[in-house]
Amino acid sequence: MRLTMLAVLCGLATPLVAQTPADSALAVVVRLFEAMHAKDSLAIAATFDTSAALLGYTRQGDQERVTRTPVAEFARSIARLPAGTDIEESIWDPAVLVDGNLAVVWTPYAFLINGAISHCGYDAVMLMRFATGSQIVVIADTRRRDGCELPAR
């Protein structure tokens, strides 16, 4: 994952420099994608508040709709992927906005299955910071199959 090494390096630097609210919000998003890669349903669920929603915009022909997936259903679907199925949600150039206990991470993404891009779009991840740490309350994303490319490394 493109941000995995950044997360590791930030984790190593944490004792020396306190994380900002923006760093903290981005770290939760990275932790979610790492849990997805590991197919760890408990770690996936731990990144979300109990009231959280996953929303996705899709279009098929003339039909447009927003899908809402419960966190538990999403986590189970990832954990049940067949053995040998490698998934990765690659993100880059995230923008993080913070006001008080609210943070929004806006980032392009590409979702890869066994190294090939399945779909791409933008993630909008809304997080709330609680006394116990930040948790995701909403993820909304766009999904398309055309024009998907990873940036040059």
Side-chain angles (χ1 to χ4, degrees), residues 64-97:
E64 296 177 293
R65 67 185 191 130
V66 173
T67 58
R68 185 180 193 285
T69 305
V71 171
E73 181 181 321
F74 172 72
R76 277 192 306 272
S77 71
I78 297 295
R80 290 182 178 157
L81 288 170
T85 303
D86 182 47
I87 61 169
E88 177 183 349
E89 184 145 350
S90 183
I91 63 174
W92 57 93
D93 298 332
V96 183
L97 303 172

Side-chain angles (χ1 to χ4, degrees), residues 118-134:
S118 166
H119 59 277
C120 64
Y122 276 80
D123 284 331
V125 184
M126 186 177 294
L127 303 98
M128 297 296 290
R129 191 173 64 234
F130 301 97
T132 56
S134 295

Side-chain angles (χ1 to χ4, degrees), residues 16 18 42 49 55 62 68 70-71 82 100 105 135 137-138 142 151 153:
L16 303 175
L42 294 177
D49 180 69
L55 306 174
D62 297 359
R68 185 180 193 285
V71 171
V105 177
Q135 289 190 300
V137 293
V138 175
T142 59
R153 293 184 191 233

Side-chain angles (χ1 to χ4, degrees), residues 130-153:
F130 301 97
T132 56
S134 295
Q135 289 190 300
I136 298 167
V137 293
V138 175
I139 293 181
D141 64 52
T142 59
R143 298 175 195 154
R144 63 180 177 275
R145 296 196 184 278
D146 299 329
C148 297
E149 294 182 17
L150 291 169
R153 293 184 191 233

